[in-house]
Structure formats: structure tokens, C-alpha cells
């Protein structure tokens, strides 16, 4: 008996034996420790009344309904029943129970019951079930959010499989546009933003990699149809250019009127003169005034000239041609011109667009000094402070009254103007777009009160933007 008891005590599960009346005939150490009874308290006593007396909800559990007793009554084994059992102190635990009938000479003589506590396992299973349900709920919520977004959403995994929402399917049939490389960049672990024109629309794409524990699981791209925005922006830019041309035409009319009046007077003097020497002198003066008219006409044609491809431009010469159109205006308004242009490398730009930027800045500066003042223009080479990229710096400064504080934060936004009656509010917005398209930057500094004035600074890289041609196309 000591030998068999030692074998029972070495088992990793709780074990007890029952006679035909349900009384305990033997019990091992694991069962004693688990239930908290002494072995003497269990031996000879009804095990159902000791450890299996209630249902999990607290109702009394009669022995006649106990499935362990069915092993005796039906001589049928019980396998892996999960049920609640009770300790001596009244606390409960969940156990997985098995029971086998003991058959001697063809008759059931008792039952051997084995059990193991699975409370922690059941709790783990319950936690896993809840976590799974929560994950399913979150996934469903995320899918609903993605489907309800007014943008095309594409989610790619590392094996190149792509999921998309219904807006993406409407935009491109669910396949990621071949013209865009943002999703490919995201799968390589980098953020990217790109705007391209597909066969029938403009699409702006923002993409980012999906990381988990430092590893790239995939990438997500959000595509927005910006066709209408692009068309509206283009219409605004055209209207701004028309406004600029109109204002320029007014300046040109004044510029041409002065030499034409001089020519008229000189022709009168030629008709009245009897001296050949005087006539030749007047004719020479008239020829000079005609040359002036020709120069103004050439500058006007240059202003309106558009290039479909970027070219290398002498910025100093470009500045001089623009300023030539404002000579008369500066004289009439008593504005002093302080022009200092250092030697700079030629810059790769779209000449017509950069000419438009310079014209906007000069015209704004002149409008800010309606009662006279000094217009300061500087041009010098300058490398970018962060990347070291070679470039040129242009500054246009006036001594006007300065820009109001409430306007300063919105200076480069569309329809923001300090010239309420004559301004369109598009000049600086268009200029900023042109400069940034060329890979450059435009900044403004202003001061009101004492030592008032405004300074606009434009930096352009020598080689222009790498994708300037693509943007033009």
C-alpha cells in the first residue's frame, strides 16, 4: 500500500478513488493539496458533498445529477469534463475531470477520478477570446473608417498584394496608378508625396511605410483627386497674369508716351529749322527717342514670352529688363533706385515665370511708396545653408509703411491683399508657387513705425528643381 501510495503521490494530477456509494477510497497528495482537506478528512467521506456540491452559479448540485456517479451507474468512462470544484475554505476553481470505472470480474467495483486545475488556462483562453473579438471589432471599425474616407486608400503588404477602398476603385479601378511611385517608396521604408497627371485626372498621393517592431509590414497611400483644384489654381494664375499685364500696359503707355512727345516736338523743330546742322542734331535726338521706344517694346515682348522648357538665364540681365519698364513710373513718383547686382552664375529657370515673380515684387514695392522713397534691389550668389546647393539670392526692399500684423501670417495665401481697391490678392500666392516649383524659397520681413519698410527675399538654386520639366509637362 505504501508503494502504491507513493506512485499516486508522484502523479502530476489530482487522483482519488470512489466506491459504489461515492465515498473516497484513496487520494493522492496533489488532490489533498488542491482541495485543502487532510487525507483523513477525505477518506471514507462522500467526495461529491466535499468538493462538488454546488453549480458555478451557486445552486445546490445534487449527487443524483453528478456525471461522475454516472460512471458507476452506466459503466461509462467520463473524459475531460470541465466543471467547477470547491476547496475546503469554500473557494472554487475550474478543473478538467476524467473518470474511469474499476471493473473486477466483469463488475464495476468503483471509480478512479483524475483532475487538473485549468482556471488559469481557462482565463487565458477567455482573454484570448476577448482579445480576438476586440481585434475583430477594431478591424471592422478600421475597415469602416477606410471605406468612408473621401480619398482613395491603398494598403500594400510586403508580398505586393494591394487592398483598396471603394473610392480608390472609382478613381483607378482599384489598381494603384502606374504614374505614381509613392507606394513603392513606402514599401522601401520612406515617406513620399507626389502629384501626377493620369490619363483623365490629376492625383496627389501621400504614402508612408507601415512599421511593426522595427520591421516594414507594408505601405499605405492616400490618393486625392485634385483635378478641380489644379484647374482652379490655373485659372487664378491666368487671371493674375492678365491683371499683371494690364498694370504693365499702363506703365508701358507712360513709358512710350514720353519719347513720342519728344519725337513730335523734334519733328516740329526740324520743319521750322533752316540750318542743316540743327536739323541733323534734332534728327539724332529723335532717333535716340525711337531707340528708346524700340527698347521698351522689346522688353514687353520678353515679358510675355513663355518657354516650355527651362533655360539658363542671366538674372542680372533679367532684372535690368524688368526695371527698364518702370523708369518713367519711378521718376514720376520721385522714387530712387538703388540697384546693386553682383556677378552670379546663370540659373536654370522658366524665364517668363521668374520675370513674372520679379515684376510682382517690384510693382508691389513701388505701390507701397506712392509718396516717393527708395527701392533697393540686390543680387548675389549664395549657397543653401543646409545642403550647400549653389544658388542666387535676390532681395527687393522698399521703405513703405510696412504690412499690418494681421496680414503677415496670410501674406502668401490666395486673395490676401494690402491693396484693397486695386489688388487681386494673387500676386504673392502665384509668386510663391513659381519659386517653390523651381526648388527655391521666398520670404518676407516687414516693419511698421520707425524705420518702416518691407523686404522680400528670393533664393533660387542654380540648377533649378530636378523635376521642373515634369511639372511643366
Amino acid at each position: 500500500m505504501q508503494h502504491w501510495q507513493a506512485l499516486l503521490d508522484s502523479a502530476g494530477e489530482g487522483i482519488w478513488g470512489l466506491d459504489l456509494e461515492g465515498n473516497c477510497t484513496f487520494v493522492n497528495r496533489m488532490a489533498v493539496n488542491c482541495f485543502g482537506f487532510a487525507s483523513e478528512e477525505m477518506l471514507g467521506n462522500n467526495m461529491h458533498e466535499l468538493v462538488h456540491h454546488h453549480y458555478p452559479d451557486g445552486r445546490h448540485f445534487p449527487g443524483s445529477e453528478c456525471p461522475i456517479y454516472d460512471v458507476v451507474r452506466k459503466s461509462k468512462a467520463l473524459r475531460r469534463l470541465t466543471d467547477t470544484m470547491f476547496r475546503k475554505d469554500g473557494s472554487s476553481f475550474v478543473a478538467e475531470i476524467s473518470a474511469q470505472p474499476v471493473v473486477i470480474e466483469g463488475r464495476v467495483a468503483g471509480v478512479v477520478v483524475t483532475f487538473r486545475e485549468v482556471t488559469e488556462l481557462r482565463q487565458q483562453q477567455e482573454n484570448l477570446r476577448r482579445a480576438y473579438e476586440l481585434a475583430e471589432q477594431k478591424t471592422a471599425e478600421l475597415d469602416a473608417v477606410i471605406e468612408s474616407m473621401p480619398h482613395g486608400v491603398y494598403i500594400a503588404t510586403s508580398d505586393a498584394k494591394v487592398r483598396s477602398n471603394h473610392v480608390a476603385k472609382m478613381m483607378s479601378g482599384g489598381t494603384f496608378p502606374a504614374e505614381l511611385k509613392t507606394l513603392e517608396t513606402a514599401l522601401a521604408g520612406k515617406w513620399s508625396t507626389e502629384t501626377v497627371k493620369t490619363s483623365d485626372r490629376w492625383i496627389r498621393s501621400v504614402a508612408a511605410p507601415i512599421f511593426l517592431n522595427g520591421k516594414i509590414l507594408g505601405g499605405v497611400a492616400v490618393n486625392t483627386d485634385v483635378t478641380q483644384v489644379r484647374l482652379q489654381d490655373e485659372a487664378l494664375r491666368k487671371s493674375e497674369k492678365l491683371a499683371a499685364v494690364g498694370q504693365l500696359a499702363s506703365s508701358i503707355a507712360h513709358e512710350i508716351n514720353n519719347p513720342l512727345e519728344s519725337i513730335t516736338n523734334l519733328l516740329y523743330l526740324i520743319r521750322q529749322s533752316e540750318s542743316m546742322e540743327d536739323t541733323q542734331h534734332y534728327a539724332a535726338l529723335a532717333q535716340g527717342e525711337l531707340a528708346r521706344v524700340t527698347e521698351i517694346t522689346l522688353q514687353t515682348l520678353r515679358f510675355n514670352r513663355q518657354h516650355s522648357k527651362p533655360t539658363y538665364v542671366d538674372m542680372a540681365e533679367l532684372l535690368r529688363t524688368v526695371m527698364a519698364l518702370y523708369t518713367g513710373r519711378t521718376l514720376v513718383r520721385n522714387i530712387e533706385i538703388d540697384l546693386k547686382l553682383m556677378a552670379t552664375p546663370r540659373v536654370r529657370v522658366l524665364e517668363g515665370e521668374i520675370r513674372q515673380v520679379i515684376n510682382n515684387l517690384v510693382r508691389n514695392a513701388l505701390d507701397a511708396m506712392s509718396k516717393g522713397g527708395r527701392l533697393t534691389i540686390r543680387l548675389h550668389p549664395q549657397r543653401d545653408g543646409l545642403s550647400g546647393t549653389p544658388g542666387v539670392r535676390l532681395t527687393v526692399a522698399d521703405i513703405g509703411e510696412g504690412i499690418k500684423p494681421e496680414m503677415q501670417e496670410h501674406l502668401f495665401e490666395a486673395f490676401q491683399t494690402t491693396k484693397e481697391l486695386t489688388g487681386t490678392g494673387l500676386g504673392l500666392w502665384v509668386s510663391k508657387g513659381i519659386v517653390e516649383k523651381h526648388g527655391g524659397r521666398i520670404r518676407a520681413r516687414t516693419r511698421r513705425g520707425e524705420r518702416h519698410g518691407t523686404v522680400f527675399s528670393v533664393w533660387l538654386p542654380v540648377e533649378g528643381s530636378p523635376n521642373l520639366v515634369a511639372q511643366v509637362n
Side-chain angles (χ1 to χ4, degrees):
M1 288 299 297
Q2 290 178 350
H3 177 72
W4 284 110
Q5 187 64 43
L7 289 176
L8 289 172
D9 289 342
S10 64
E13 295 181 331
I15 304 175
W16 78 83
L18 297 176
D19 59 19
L20 296 180
E21 284 74 33
N23 298 320
C24 181
T25 56
F26 62 85
V27 63
N28 73 343
R29 184 183 297 117
M30 179 67 73
V32 169
N33 294 338
C34 186
F35 289 121
F37 291 99
S39 58
E40 293 79 6
E41 295 177 284
M42 301 176 73
L43 292 172
N45 290 312
N46 187 285
M47 285 296 293
H48 180 80
E49 297 300 328
L50 284 177
V51 300
H52 206 198
H53 41 73
H54 282 82
Y55 286 107
D57 59 7
R59 293 179 295 114
H60 178 67
F61 193 177
S64 59
E65 298 178 8
C66 180
I68 297 177
Y69 286 171
D70 280 346
V71 176
V72 177
R73 291 190 288 263
K74 300 179 181 180
S75 187
K76 184 178 179 181
L78 177 69
R79 300 186 185 280
R80 302 182 69 176
L81 169 70
T82 301
D83 206 351
T84 301
M85 306 196 79
F86 296 86
R87 299 183 179 90
K88 181 179 180 179
D89 60 9
S91 62
S92 63
F93 63 93
V94 179
E96 187 180 83
I97 307 168
S98 297
Q100 292 283 347
V102 177
V103 180
I104 300 177
E105 296 181 354
R107 297 176 59 188
V108 176
V111 178
V112 175
V113 182
T114 62
F115 75 96
R116 62 188 182 98
E117 186 174 352
V118 293
T119 305
E120 184 176 347
L121 178 62
R122 286 293 296 274
Q123 186 62 47
Q124 291 175 350
Q125 292 175 340
E126 180 64 18
N127 292 342
L128 184 62
R129 184 188 65 79
R130 290 178 180 176
Y132 182 75
E133 289 180 351
L134 181 61
E136 283 190 326
Q137 178 184 349
K138 294 297 182 183
T139 300
E141 291 175 356
L142 181 59
D143 288 342
V145 169
I146 292 174
E147 283 297 322
S148 62
M149 288 181 67
H151 307 279
V153 180
Y154 301 81
I155 302 174
T157 55
S158 54
D159 57 1
K161 292 183 179 179
V162 179
R163 289 177 52 203
S164 59
N165 66 351
H166 75 284
V167 177
K169 293 179 174 67
M170 292 172 57
M171 290 174 62
S172 59
T175 58
F176 195 73
E179 296 87 350
L180 288 166
K181 304 301 179 185
T182 49
L183 196 56
E184 180 181 333
T185 304
L187 291 172
K190 297 179 181 179
W191 287 72
S192 63
T193 301
E194 190 178 355
T195 302
V196 301
K197 188 178 187 306
T198 62
S199 58
D200 59 345
R201 68 186 75 202
W202 283 91
I203 295 178
R204 182 176 186 269
S205 178
V206 179
I210 302 173
F211 288 103
L212 181 63
N213 298 326
K215 294 183 178 180
I216 299 176
L217 293 184
V220 58
V222 178
N223 291 1
T224 306
D225 188 335
V226 294
T227 305
Q228 291 301 318
V229 175
R230 291 293 291 243
L231 294 176
Q232 291 168 4
D233 286 354
E234 186 61 29
L236 289 176
R237 289 187 177 93
K238 287 181 179 179
S239 67
E240 163 56 19
K241 182 154 190 180
L242 290 174
V245 169
Q247 293 172 342
L248 186 63
S250 176
S251 298
I252 293 169
H254 284 89
E255 291 294 325
I256 293 179
N257 184 61
N258 292 331
L260 287 179
E261 285 184 353
S262 299
I263 292 170
T264 301
N265 294 330
L266 289 168
L267 289 175
Y268 174 79
L269 292 173
I270 289 173
R271 286 198 304 269
Q272 299 297 321
S273 175
E274 296 179 356
S275 169
M276 182 57 68
E277 184 179 347
D278 289 343
T279 300
Q280 290 179 346
H281 174 65
Y282 295 147
L285 292 176
Q287 187 176 5
E289 293 300 322
L290 283 174
R292 169 69 179 152
V293 172
T294 303
E295 177 64 19
I296 293 172
T297 305
L298 288 174
Q299 304 307 337
T300 305
L301 292 174
R302 287 179 181 175
F303 183 89
N304 196 48
R305 185 181 301 157
Q306 297 295 321
H307 295 277
S308 60
K309 293 183 179 180
T311 57
Y312 287 94
V313 174
D314 184 343
M315 289 293 293
E317 179 62 24
L318 193 60
L319 277 164
R320 292 190 187 97
T321 61
V322 173
M323 294 307 300
L325 301 176
Y326 289 96
T327 303
R329 190 172 179 181
T330 56
L331 290 174
V332 171
R333 294 192 179 185
N334 193 28
I335 294 176
E336 175 190 350
I337 304 296
D338 182 4
L339 189 65
K340 292 184 179 179
L341 309 178
M342 295 178 60
T344 58
R346 287 178 172 266
V347 182
R348 186 170 178 263
V349 296
L350 293 166
E351 182 179 345
E353 292 193 356
I354 297 302
R355 191 186 298 272
Q356 183 179 353
V357 172
I358 296 172
N359 182 69
N360 282 339
L361 298 180
V362 171
R363 189 178 69 244
N364 287 346
L366 295 178
D367 289 342
M369 299 183 291
S370 57
K371 298 180 181 179
R374 184 177 66 256
L375 174 62
T376 303
I377 298 178
R378 298 285 186 269
L379 179 70
H380 60 90
Q382 185 183 72
R383 288 184 176 273
D384 181 70
L386 296 177
S387 64
T389 303
V392 297
R393 171 76 63 184
L394 165 66
T395 56
V396 178
D398 63 64
I399 56 171
E401 64 177 11
I403 301 170
K404 295 178 181 179
E406 59 268 23
M407 283 291 301
Q408 293 178 21
E409 294 183 2
H410 308 285
L411 198 57
F412 293 101
E413 296 177 8
F415 305 112
Q416 301 295 322
T417 180
T418 58
K419 297 175 282 187
E420 297 180 359
L421 298 178
T422 60
T424 63
L426 298 174
L428 290 177
W429 173 70
V430 170
S431 297
K432 183 174 185 290
I434 291 173
V435 170
E436 291 181 347
K437 182 170 74 174
H438 284 74
R441 299 184 299 273
I442 183 170
R443 300 288 185 269
R445 290 183 290 112
T446 188
R447 178 182 293 177
R448 295 172 66 84
E450 187 179 359
R451 299 181 64 185
H452 48 78
T454 302
V455 179
F456 281 91
S457 174
V458 176
W459 181 85
L460 293 170
V462 169
E463 294 299 326
S465 173
N467 58 346
L468 183 59
V469 175
Q471 290 187 50
V472 172
N473 293 339

